[in-house]
């Protein structure tokens, strides 16, 4: 339970205690009026569950409507109140409270937050009245929001968890959560598949790079071997001419041997 919820429950707690002595329908009905008029009470399920308030449902004409009114404050909206018949007239404090709680419910759907929609749904006469309501709701700690007067929208970033759950809403909530869980599982599977594909591509790229590097190394080694063989063959092709004019192999400096041979041939051996 966060601080906002704790404050709201603390504000309701005195009425829960008073309900134990509200033995008559009139006293219980007055207790409903007091609880819904308090500016700090925003949750009412615990009060609805008290025996003497529960007894209003069968207390006869004029009292059952107070129980229905408390249900609307617990999980209903301003529209629910205006559409219902024979409910008690609200005071200004109750009207403000019910509109604030209705705004919390509407804030869960962003498409509901245009000025035009809110003015109609909350039965407010002017944009200024709507802005005053939003500001009072923010100051009460029920909303974190800002007014976008240019685009005529209320931009809500967070909503206090203060609305009570309507009876029968749990199965619907479970269905929504299960649907959300299923979508999360599908997204995780898709991400895992993408991770596997990235890894496969990386391994294949590394394999090609290794194969290319080995091929380059092989070409370089083959080139070195050919160069060495060519060098060895070049040394063997060099020739000398001996004293009798014959050609011989093995000298890297043929110039000196040729001159020496010519000298011996033409000099007559002197």
């Amino acid at each position: 339970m966060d601080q906002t919820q704790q404050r709201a429950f603390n504000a309701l707690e005195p009425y829960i205690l008073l309900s134990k002595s509200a033995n008559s329908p009139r006293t219980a009905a007055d207790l409903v009026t007091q609880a819904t008029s308090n500016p700090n009470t925003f949750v009412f399920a615990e009060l609805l569950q008290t025996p003497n308030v529960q007894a209003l449902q069968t207390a006869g004409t004029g009292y059952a409507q107070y129980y229905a009114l408390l249900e609307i404050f617990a999980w209903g909206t301003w529209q629910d109140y205006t559409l219902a018949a024979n409910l008690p007239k609200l005071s200004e404090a109750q009207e403000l409270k019910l509109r604030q709680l209705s705004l919390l419910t509407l804030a869960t759907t962003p498409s509901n937050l245009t000025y035009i929609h809110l003015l109609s749904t909350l039965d407010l006469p002017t944009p200024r009245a709507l802005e005053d309501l939003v500001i009072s709701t923010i100051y009460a700690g029920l909303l974190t929001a800002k007014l976008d007067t240019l685009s005529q929208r209320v931009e809500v970033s967070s909503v206090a968890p203060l609305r009570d759950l309507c009876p029968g809403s749990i199965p619907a909530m479970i269905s929504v959560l299960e649907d959300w869980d299923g979508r999360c599982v599908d997204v995780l599977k898709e991400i895992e598949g993408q991770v596997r594909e990235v890894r496969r591509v990386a391994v294949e790229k590394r394999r090609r790079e290794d194969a290319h590097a080995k091929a380059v190394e092989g070409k370089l080694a083959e080139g070195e071997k050919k160069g060495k063989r060519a060098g060895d063959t070049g040394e063997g092709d060099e020739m000398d001419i001996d004293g009798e004019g014959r050609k011989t192999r093995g000298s890297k400096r043929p110039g000196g041997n040729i001159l020496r041979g010519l000298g011996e041939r033409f000099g007559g051996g002197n």
Side-chain angles (χ1 to χ4, degrees), residues 122-261:
L122 298 174
D123 196 20
L124 292 168
T126 64
R128 180 59 187 174
L130 173 61
E131 291 168 355
D132 289 342
L133 173 66
V134 174
I135 291 170
S136 71
T137 307
I138 293 172
Y139 280 125
L142 309 181
L143 284 178
T144 301
K146 62 180 181 180
L147 296 167
D148 187 346
T149 56
L150 183 62
S151 61
Q152 296 284 284
R153 290 185 58 83
V154 179
E155 302 292 342
V156 175
S157 55
S158 67
V159 179
L162 291 176
R163 297 310 318 259
D164 295 306
L165 294 177
C166 177
S169 62
I170 297 297
M173 292 179 63
I174 292 175
S175 177
V176 171
L177 291 173
E178 288 176 344
D179 181 61
W180 174 79
D181 179 66
R183 291 198 302 271
C184 289
V185 169
D186 292 340
V187 170
L188 287 174
K189 287 181 179 179
E190 182 177 351
I191 292 174
E192 289 172 355
Q194 292 176 355
V195 169
R196 286 194 297 270
E197 178 62 16
V198 169
R199 288 176 177 171
R200 186 195 66 77
V201 171
V203 170
E204 179 64 21
K205 181 180 179 182
R206 181 61 181 271
R207 187 191 64 77
R208 290 197 303 268
E209 290 175 348
D210 290 345
H212 178 72
K214 289 180 180 178
V216 171
E217 289 175 1
K219 292 292 184 181
L220 291 174
E222 183 179 350
E224 290 176 357
K225 290 179 180 179
K226 288 182 178 179
K228 186 175 180 180
R229 288 197 298 270
D232 293 342
T233 302
E235 290 179 359
D237 289 338
E238 294 176 351
M239 297 182 181
D240 288 341
I241 301 176
D242 60 13
E244 298 179 358
R246 294 190 299 270
K247 295 180 180 180
T248 60
R249 295 179 179 275
S251 175
K252 292 183 179 179
R253 294 179 296 177
N257 293 332
I258 292 172
L259 290 175
R260 184 170 61 254

Side-chain angles (χ1 to χ4, degrees), residues 62 64-66 68-69 72 79-89:
Q65 289 85 346
Y66 283 90
L69 179 65
I72 290 176
Q79 281 189 317
D80 295 328
Y81 173 77
T82 56
L83 293 174
N86 301 320
L87 291 181
K89 182 176 175 59

Side-chain angles (χ1 to χ4, degrees), residues 263-270:
E264 290 177 353
R265 181 175 182 179
F266 293 101
N270 294 331

Side-chain angles (χ1 to χ4, degrees), residues 32-33 35-37 41-45 48 66-78 81 90-91 93-99 101-102 162-164:
V32 168
T33 301
T36 54
S37 299
T41 55
F42 297 102
V43 291
F44 302 96
L48 272 168
Y66 283 90
Y67 184 86
L69 179 65
L70 188 57
E71 284 187 319
I72 290 176
F73 272 88
W75 50 71
T77 64
W78 181 265
Y81 173 77
L90 301 181
S91 65
Q94 287 175 308
E95 288 184 358
L96 174 61
K97 170 73 62 64
L98 186 54
R99 285 190 171 105
L101 292 172
S102 300
L162 291 176
R163 297 310 318 259
D164 295 306

